[in-house]
């Protein structure tokens, strides 16, 4: 099972367009500090369609469109060229070709994780795997079906809270409910479960498993069990400590009240897990944005990593 960490930042990215905090200021002068919105490629599926989705596709070699072999003014296509069938969005620039299908799995209905869907409107078919609650929020609250249907064939696949879904290539994904935190545009929606889930991916051939949980505010028994069974755990690292949002002035609430357990509350727990553990979804105020921050050393001593944009993991 191939994984590529497409992005590792919380909402707004690093730098955030309207912010001059130390993290954003540093990212404007040090390219190594920059982070795009948190997302993950699992084979030919993209987890969460962020505003950076087009750039994420370009950065991932196995997601880029590949032209079908055809004569050209520059000569025949090399025999070593990659087969267009290897790309989920392959096809020639013109003429008959394969249907361009984009496959997206959603952990929630937040804008940061769904605004990229309209950028995929050029696809012939857009397959979205999501819980029934998330689908309802997007189709009723954001009118996604109504807006995108004239451009692409939208196909929804239910992500059950008590089972798994088979993806292309045989990989299976299972939802692990973690929160009922709703996006602001859906604040008036009737109470329902399935608003925020972690995703457990399993490769039946290799047996490799990965748990992806970019946002959670409670360390539940179900989440801990899924983490303990995973070979790789990629989890919420939005804030370093609970007071960070209030201290930096971005919110009147604590990190936990915003739906994100801080790293100080989870790092030692992760260190006790048997699998490889990485943090993602870093906010621009998080000191870990600075590669030289002492907090990196503290995590390294625990054997916990900070994910980087572009990192590839094989399981």
């Amino acid at each position: 099972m191939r994984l590529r960490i497409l992005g590792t930042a919380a909402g707004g990215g690093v730098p955030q367009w309207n912010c001059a905090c130390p993290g954003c200021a540093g990212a404007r002068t040090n390219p190594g500090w920059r982070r795009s919105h948190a997302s993950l490629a699992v084979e030919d599926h993209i987890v969460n369609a962020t505003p950076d989705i087009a750039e994420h596709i370009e950065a991932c070699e196995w997601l880029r469109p590949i032209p079908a072999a055809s004569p050209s003014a520059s000569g025949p296509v090399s025999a070593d060229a990659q087969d267009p069938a290897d790309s989920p969005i392959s096809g020639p620039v013109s003429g008959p070709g394969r249907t361009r299908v984009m496959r997206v799995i959603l952990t929630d209905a937040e804008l940061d994780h769904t605004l990229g869907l309209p950028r995929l409107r050029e696809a012939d078919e857009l397959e979205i795997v999501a819980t029934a609650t998330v689908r309802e929020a997007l189709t009723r609250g954001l009118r996604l079906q109504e807006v995108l249907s004239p451009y692409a064939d939208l196909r929804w696949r239910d992500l059950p809270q008590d089972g798994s879904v088979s993806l292309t290539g045989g990989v299976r994904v299972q939802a692990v409910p973690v929160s009922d935190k709703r996006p602001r545009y859906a604040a008036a929606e009737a109470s329902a479960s399935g608003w925020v889930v972690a995703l457990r991916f399993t490769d039946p051939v290799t047996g490799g498993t990965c748990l992806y949980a970019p946002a959670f505010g409670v360390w539940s028994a179900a989440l801990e069990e899924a983490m303990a069974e995973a070979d790789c755990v990629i989890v919420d690292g939005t804030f370093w400590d609970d007071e960070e949002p209030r201290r930096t002035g971005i919110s009147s609430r604590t990190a936990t009240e915003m739906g994100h357990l801080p790293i100080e509350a989870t790092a030692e727990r992760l260190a006790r897990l048997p699998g490889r553990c990485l943090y993602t979804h870093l906010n621009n105020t998080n000191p870990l944005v600075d590669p030289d921050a002492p907090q990196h050393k503290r995590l390294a001593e625990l054997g916990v990593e900070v994910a980087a944009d572009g990192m590839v993991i094989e399981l």
Side-chain angles (χ1 to χ4, degrees):
M1 179 167 56
R2 269 184 317 184
L3 310 174
R4 184 183 177 102
I5 297 176
L6 300 173
T8 55
V14 182
Q16 186 169 306
W17 70 271
N18 64 336
C19 184
C21 72
C24 291
R28 291 189 177 99
T29 57
N30 300 282
W33 291 33
R34 289 179 173 265
R35 292 176 181 268
S36 59
H37 287 86
S39 181
L40 179 74
V42 181
E43 296 296 347
D44 64 354
H45 286 70
I46 296 176
V47 179
N48 292 335
T50 78
D52 302 314
I53 193 164
E55 292 76 16
H56 286 163
I57 290 170
E58 285 298 307
C60 183
E61 60 273 14
W62 69 76
L63 291 178
R64 297 176 197 147
I66 302 168
S70 62
S72 68
S74 60
V77 176
S78 167
D80 296 328
Q82 187 176 357
D83 185 340
D86 291 339
S87 170
I89 48 177
S90 60
V93 174
S94 61
R98 294 175 175 84
T99 299
R100 293 169 297 176
V101 181
M102 287 305 302
R103 300 178 175 90
V104 177
I105 309 171
L106 300 176
T107 60
D108 52 61
E110 294 287 349
L111 291 180
D112 298 328
H113 295 159
T114 57
L115 284 176
L117 291 171
R119 296 194 72 181
L120 300 176
R121 66 189 180 277
E122 294 89 357
D124 294 315
E125 182 179 309
L126 178 55
E127 178 185 283
I128 305 173
V129 181
T131 65
T133 299
V134 168
R135 175 181 178 175
E136 179 70 13
L138 294 176
T139 54
R140 186 165 66 179
L142 295 185
R143 299 169 54 199
L144 192 68
Q145 188 81 29
E146 181 179 346
V147 170
L148 288 184
S149 289
Y151 300 91
D153 180 17
L154 263 66
R155 186 160 71 93
W156 296 87
R157 295 185 65 190
D158 286 335
L159 181 62
Q161 298 183 60
D162 56 356
S164 62
V165 172
S166 179
L167 308 178
T168 56
V171 173
R172 300 198 69 85
V173 60
Q174 178 183 359
V176 181
V178 295
S179 172
D180 289 333
K181 178 179 179 288
R182 283 166 279 186
R184 296 182 191 179
Y185 69 83
E189 292 286 340
S191 179
S193 60
W195 281 104
V196 185
V197 298
L199 300 173
R200 184 178 188 269
F201 296 95
T202 304
D203 186 331
V205 176
T206 66
T209 59
C210 174
L211 184 83
Y212 187 68
F216 61 90
V218 177
W219 188 283
S220 68
L223 183 63
E224 182 168 24
E225 181 180 357
M227 289 180 176
E229 295 174 347
D231 299 302
C232 181
V233 176
I234 307 171
V235 297
D236 190 342
T238 308
F239 300 110
W240 178 262
D241 63 82
D242 207 33
E243 287 296 321
E244 184 181 319
R246 297 202 292 202
R247 186 176 61 255
T248 57
I250 65 168
S251 176
S252 61
R253 296 176 294 166
T254 65
T256 305
E257 289 170 345
M258 292 179 68
H260 300 283
L261 276 185
I263 290 174
E264 283 192 339
T266 61
E268 292 189 1
R269 287 173 165 176
L270 293 183
R272 293 193 289 268
L273 296 175
R276 181 181 181 185
C277 297
L278 307 94
Y279 281 114
T280 189
H281 204 267
L282 275 63
N283 197 58
N284 55 312
T285 57
N286 192 320
L288 291 172
V289 169
D290 179 355
D292 296 322
Q295 286 84 352
H296 284 279
K297 181 179 179 181
R298 291 175 59 182
L299 291 181
E301 291 171 347
L302 292 171
V304 179
E305 303 174 58
V306 178
D309 289 28
M311 183 180 288
V312 175
I313 299 171
E314 297 268 357
L315 295 173

